Amino acid sequence: MKDLFDEIQLKDLKLKSRIVRTGTWETETEQGGFLTPSIYDRYEKIASSGTGLIVSEIFALDYKDRFFPYSANLNYKAFIKDYKLITDICHEYDVPILGQLAFFYYDDGVNQKVEANDISEEGIRKLQSEVIMAAKKFSFAGFDGIQLNMGNNFYLSRFMNPYFNQRNDKYGGSTENRVRISSEIIKVIKKTMDLHVNCRINPWDVRKGGVTADESIAIASELEKAGADSLQLTARTISQVYDKGEKHPFLIYFDDLVNTINIPVILGGSLREMSKINEVLNNSKVELISMSKPFVAQPDFLADWRNNGSGIAICQSCNNCYSKKTSTCFKH
């Protein structure tokens, strides 16, 4: 029988449980991006509670990005010093931590919001260089890896999506070509740094002419070939498309995916109760579960679950923390 508090290996990372905490927004920094005591306290509570792996809050690539005011700052002068303290806290509790990089817009030096069809190959090289430099900064700050957020509706997600990408060069057309911008980044990171590379992807799209489940699996295969160590599932919307909501919407897709690729996949999506998580673990091929909003409501809730052998997160899935872009809970 599998249990969410089992120790498990995630490629090169040893985890103390099957729970992956995924961060979203960061709104508790001081002006300029400097970390406050509440942020250090939050990470200690998460790391000490029984979390297996921590994925940081979103780090923005550029101060002009749409979500920069609500994101962690990668480019302020004390970044390495401050976040080395964060990664040291996590490592004190034997919890690996990945830095999550996501960006909605990209400034290629000509257009501050250049999209997939319009960015030049020179612009693509600039983008790739900036992402690789971000990975190097994470490495200097003691992170165990990087999560490239190419899910939801972020830039790399749109670049891979045939709905947005109609290029006729080597970065458009086939699945391999649309993923190439990301594949080349992953290859350089794996060749030059000792970092775990996780890619966050959508299982499907809700747009006509967008990414289907089959196309998403093909994308995952390209990322694996490039050297990605693991994947995490997310979505623009978690539509209850199977059995009128009686099944977790990702599970049928998940089985098809893990039968196709050979790297670990982390399941995400609105699981809030220990018994239901263990039910999913024991009735599917799922090995790892990602949770986000429950950690906003109560950063150390897993300690209660572990001590009691059961539990339900106090998070009520109101989604205010995400939609209003804050790192604190509106109710608790």
Side-chain angles (χ1 to χ4, degrees), residues 38-75:
S38 63
I39 295 173
Y40 294 108
D41 181 60
R42 182 202 312 157
Y43 271 93
E44 180 151 26
K45 286 180 177 178
I46 295 169
S48 65
S49 66
T51 308
L53 172 69
I54 293 175
V55 179
S56 77
E57 280 70 34
I58 290 170
F59 281 94
L61 193 62
D62 188 327
Y63 75 93
K64 296 184 291 295
D65 193 74
R66 173 180 178 180
F67 297 126
F68 180 81
Y70 323 105
S71 301
N73 190 342
L74 185 66
N75 299 311

Side-chain angles (χ1 to χ4, degrees), residues 5 21 26 61 88 122 143 167 177 197 223 231 236 251 262 291 295-297 302 323 325:
F5 289 109
R21 178 271 189 174
E26 181 56 86
L61 193 62
D88 283 348
E122 183 181 0
F143 285 88
R167 298 174 70 98
N177 284 356
V197 176
L223 296 171
L231 302 177
R236 289 183 60 244
L251 282 179
N262 294 303
M291 305 177 79
F295 286 100
V296 178
L302 283 179
S323 62
K325 299 178 178 60

Side-chain angles (χ1 to χ4, degrees), residues 6-254:
D6 293 336
E7 291 188 355
I8 187 170
Q9 202 74 24
L10 179 66
K11 275 303 257 317
D12 52 318
L13 303 177
K14 183 178 181 180
L15 312 188
K16 295 167 64 176
S17 78
R18 298 178 184 272
I19 296 295
V20 177
R21 178 271 189 174
T22 301
T24 51
W25 312 116
E26 181 56 86
T27 55
E28 293 187 282
T29 53
E30 295 177 346
Q31 186 173 7
F34 295 91
L35 302 190
T36 58
S38 63
I39 295 173
Y40 294 108
D41 181 60
R42 182 202 312 157
Y43 271 93
E44 180 151 26
K45 286 180 177 178
I46 295 169
S48 65
S49 66
T51 308
L53 172 69
I54 293 175
V55 179
S56 77
E57 280 70 34
I58 290 170
F59 281 94
L61 193 62
D62 188 327
Y63 75 93
K64 296 184 291 295
D65 193 74
R66 173 180 178 180
F67 297 126
F68 180 81
Y70 323 105
S71 301
N73 190 342
L74 185 66
N75 299 311
Y76 71 103
K77 60 184 179 182
F79 164 76
I80 292 175
K81 172 181 172 290
D82 281 0
Y83 276 94
K84 185 64 169 64
L85 293 174
I86 292 288
T87 59
D88 283 348
I89 288 170
C90 297
H91 294 154
E92 183 178 342
Y93 293 99
D94 297 321
V95 178
I97 177 170
L98 310 182
Q100 180 187 174
L101 185 70
F103 50 101
F104 191 86
Y105 295 134
Y106 184 68
D107 179 359
D108 65 351
V110 178
N111 186 335
Q112 289 187 6
K113 300 178 182 179
V114 67
E115 289 292 346
N117 288 336
D118 303 315
I119 188 170
S120 66
E121 286 202 27
E122 183 181 0
I124 287 173
R125 293 290 172 267
K126 179 175 180 290
L127 182 156
Q128 291 173 320
S129 297
E130 291 181 20
V131 173
I132 292 163
M133 182 57 70
K136 179 59 72 174
K137 288 182 178 180
F138 286 145
S139 177
F140 288 154
F143 285 88
D144 300 282
I146 182 172
Q147 181 180 85
L148 297 171
N149 193 332
M150 50 187 70
N152 303 107
N153 211 23
F154 287 108
Y155 192 89
L156 293 176
S157 169
R158 299 199 305 279
F159 205 102
M160 296 188 301
N161 193 326
Y163 180 90
F164 294 101
N165 185 341
Q166 290 89 40
R167 298 174 70 98
N168 54 16
D169 62 1
K170 66 179 181 179
Y171 292 98
S174 67
T175 303
E176 179 183 7
N177 284 356
R178 284 181 277 108
V179 179
R180 189 184 304 277
I181 186 173
S182 301
S183 297
E184 290 175 344
I185 291 169
I186 294 167
K187 289 175 182 177
V188 172
I189 293 173
K190 293 305 297 182
K191 184 176 182 179
T192 61
M193 299 170 228
D194 184 21
L195 290 177
H196 184 103
V197 176
N198 173 274
C199 297
R200 196 173 180 186
I201 65 169
N202 297 327
W204 55 74
D205 197 11
V206 294
R207 300 181 180 93
K208 185 177 180 179
V211 173
T212 64
D214 288 343
E215 172 67 8
S216 175
I217 291 172
I219 287 170
S221 296
E222 291 298 324
L223 296 171
E224 179 186 21
K225 283 195 291 186
D229 295 293
S230 62
L231 302 177
Q232 180 178 349
L233 302 185
T234 185
R236 289 183 60 244
T237 178
I238 301 176
S239 304
Q240 299 294 324
V241 295
Y242 301 123
D243 293 353
K244 298 181 180 178
E246 294 175 12
K247 289 183 181 179
H248 190 288
F250 290 171
L251 282 179
I252 294 176
Y253 167 88
F254 188 97

